[in-house]
Amino acid sequence: MKSRRISRTRRRATIFGAATASVIAGVAMLPNWSAGAAVTDDPTVDAKTKATFQRLADAVFTDRTEALVGGGRKDRNKPRTDGFSGDVRLSSGTARSQDAALSKLDRRRGELAKLGEKYSKGSTTVTLGATNVKGRKAKAVVTETTTLTYQKVRGSEPGTTGFQARHELTFTADRRGDWQLTGITPADEDNLAVNQTATPESVPAPTPSAVPSASASTAPSTAPSAAPSASASASASGSVKVSTTTPAAPKAATSFPGPANPKDFTASGLDYKAMADYAKRYWSDYNPAYPNFNGAGAGGDCTNFVSQALKEGGWKHVPGYVYDYTRWFGNAEIQSHSFIGVNEWSWFAQNSKRTTSLANVYQMDVGDVLQVDFDKDGSKDHTMIVTSRSKGVPYLTYHSTNTYSRSVSSIIASYPNASYYAYRT
């Protein structure tokens, strides 16, 4: 979702946004032990228990995937989580939260069906990472990998869509030493998977001014040096003052179908197929030639990832100062704010005239960019790139949460109250 934080004067950049809300807000389990009741010593977590932790997590997220694929709540098989009791199980609060999430995903499935999108099958696997035990609490990080197969409603949909997401699970031992799953929170910066039900959190809108940080410097040495542009001027002391080159992008409508506005793939000289191929290649296997801003506290990698794809398709570096929104560059050593920041990218895209705004999100085509402001506070939270289009529907690929070929219809169904900004590249 959001991209990395750059300074105290600007919001964290994104994106695949943002700190995010938890997928399932597990309720803290409060002991209700009677006076004099026997309480076991602090339990241990052996290999068998870890394996059960993993199986329970797999059941939680598989149930959510099946809610998007299967029929209504009455038609679905008994949830897999119901099969866990005794040594490892859901707490009562987490069970209620899970049931509410499944009902919400049922409704989302119906909303997508009205837009002509259905899934014929889905698969979810969960791998267990580090598990830390302290007293009667255990925290384990799991990685969920989910794939959904598109049902051929329109006839030319992508074969599948999918994502990877990391979650931190909290297990609490009761007085008998049995473990209950009491909380599930995102382990990554953002929380934008198709089977997640919480609205991502946002941070306050940034001030439009930019102040050089101690680490601010100029563009990579491989690019020619550049004096400050018209948006910057040097004072007698040698410090640089940057003007507020922060144009507001117009919002895009989300009604389907969008008005006709076909893209000319030859006019710009850009290679849009290369952009899409790059995004599909690195959607989960990050390119080591660039830094990775995905992770708690890093701000998110979404805009960094989109900039990489645009660069692969022919966008050229504009060297200069990192905080100058009329400049754009990025490699392993240094990145301009406009390369990795959601709002900063938008400002550069408009300042440079490299993009034009689209009136409707369904007008987007391969290589175009979509940004989202989840809470409508005027500061954008997430950046995605279009990697395919079918019968008037764009399909997006993004980082944070790592996702490929998700339809714009699915994004809108998940976040119907957000503001959307569509850019033709």
Side-chain angles (χ1 to χ4, degrees):
M1 182 177 71
K2 309 196 171 43
S3 302
R4 66 176 297 199
R5 290 183 177 86
I6 295 173
S7 76
R8 69 177 182 273
T9 60
R10 51 176 298 281
R11 88 182 281 140
R12 88 181 167 182
T14 160
I15 232 138
F16 321 156
T20 56
S22 89
V23 179
I24 306 172
V27 177
M29 186 179 69
L30 300 177
N32 185 22
W33 305 338
S34 60
V39 179
T40 64
D41 293 336
D42 291 347
T44 59
V45 176
D46 56 17
K48 180 180 178 182
T49 303
K50 289 181 181 178
T52 309
F53 284 177
Q54 177 173 323
R55 289 192 297 107
L56 178 56
D58 191 275
V60 167
F61 296 114
T62 296
D63 282 343
R64 291 157 61 86
T65 298
E66 290 186 348
L68 288 168
V69 175
R73 193 81 174 95
K74 295 179 180 179
D75 301 324
R76 189 162 53 252
N77 294 330
K78 183 179 179 181
R80 285 169 167 75
T81 54
D82 285 2
F84 288 80
S85 61
D87 293 348
V88 180
R89 63 188 185 276
L90 298 182
S91 70
S92 59
T94 302
R96 288 191 296 271
S97 297
Q98 172 75 347
D99 194 63
L102 295 179
S103 296
K104 187 170 183 178
L105 291 169
D106 274 335
R107 294 191 296 272
R108 183 176 298 171
R109 177 193 54 78
E111 293 164 0
L112 287 171
K114 293 176 183 177
L115 294 170
E117 180 169 317
K118 295 181 179 180
Y119 308 115
S120 60
K121 62 180 179 180
S123 66
T124 293
T125 59
V126 171
T127 57
L128 184 73
T131 302
N132 297 309
V133 183
K134 181 178 289 188
R136 307 186 77 82
K137 285 191 179 293
K139 291 184 180 292
V141 175
V142 299
T143 300
E144 172 197 3
T145 302
T146 291
T147 302
L148 293 161
T149 300
Y150 284 109
Q151 185 172 320
K152 295 301 181 181
V153 177
R154 299 184 182 90
S156 57
E157 294 90 338
T160 60
T161 180
F163 67 88
Q164 287 183 336
R166 296 192 314 141
H167 312 276
E168 183 181 74
L169 312 183
T170 299
F171 292 88
T172 305
D174 63 19
R175 64 182 179 84
R176 294 182 299 274
D178 294 337
W179 292 102
Q180 297 188 29
L181 177 57
T182 54
I184 304 176
T185 57
D188 292 323
E189 187 72 21
D190 300 313
N191 193 26
L192 289 167
V194 64
N195 70 350
Q196 297 178 1
T197 58
T199 300
E201 293 178 352
S202 296
V203 296
T207 57
S209 60
V211 178
S213 66
S215 62
S217 75
T218 54
S221 59
T222 55
S225 62
S229 69
S231 64
S233 61
S235 67
S237 64
S239 63
V240 176
K241 298 179 180 179
V242 181
S243 65
T244 55
T245 52
T246 56
K251 297 176 183 178
T254 58
S255 55
F256 180 81
N261 188 358
K263 183 170 185 173
D264 185 344
F265 286 92
T266 62
S268 67
L270 297 174
D271 189 341
Y272 297 106
K273 182 178 183 300
M275 295 178 186
D277 289 346
Y278 182 95
K280 291 176 182 178
R281 177 181 178 184
Y282 291 110
W283 74 272
S284 64
D285 184 16
Y286 286 29
N287 186 347
Y290 295 91
N292 174 3
F293 298 116
N294 187 25
D301 197 65
C302 65
T303 306
N304 181 42
F305 174 62
V306 168
S307 287
Q308 293 170 32
L310 294 170
K311 182 178 170 182
E312 184 74 11
W315 274 37
K316 302 298 183 186
H317 280 175
V318 182
Y321 292 91
V322 296
Y323 46 80
D324 183 345
Y325 307 141
T326 67
R327 307 295 171 171
W328 182 87
F329 51 87
N331 59 23
E333 288 75 34
I334 188 171
Q335 309 82 37
S336 65
H337 292 186
S338 59
F339 197 91
I340 60 177
V342 185
N343 294 285
E344 293 78 3
W345 180 90
S346 175
W347 296 331
F348 169 78
Q350 296 174 85
N351 288 327
S352 64
K353 310 299 183 185
R354 290 189 179 185
T355 66
T356 56
S357 294
L358 293 170
N360 188 293
V361 298
Y362 287 99
Q363 294 173 325
M364 295 188 300
D365 212 318
V366 174
D368 292 338
V369 173
L370 180 67
Q371 293 189 314
V372 189
D373 175 6
F374 292 107
D375 62 356
K376 294 186 175 181
D377 68 350
S379 188
K380 303 171 189 67
D381 302 306
H382 183 50
T383 309
M384 300 165 275
I385 190 167
V386 178
T387 48
S388 64
R389 178 181 169 90
S390 167
K391 301 292 181 64
V393 177
Y395 292 82
L396 300 143
T397 299
Y398 55 90
H399 278 180
S400 311
T401 303
N402 303 333
T403 299
Y404 73 92
S405 296
R406 183 177 180 184
S407 73
V408 72
S409 300
S410 172
I411 296 287
I412 294 168
S414 298
Y415 314 108
N417 298 319
S419 294
Y420 293 88
Y421 304 84
Y423 306 83
R424 171 138 295 166
T425 60

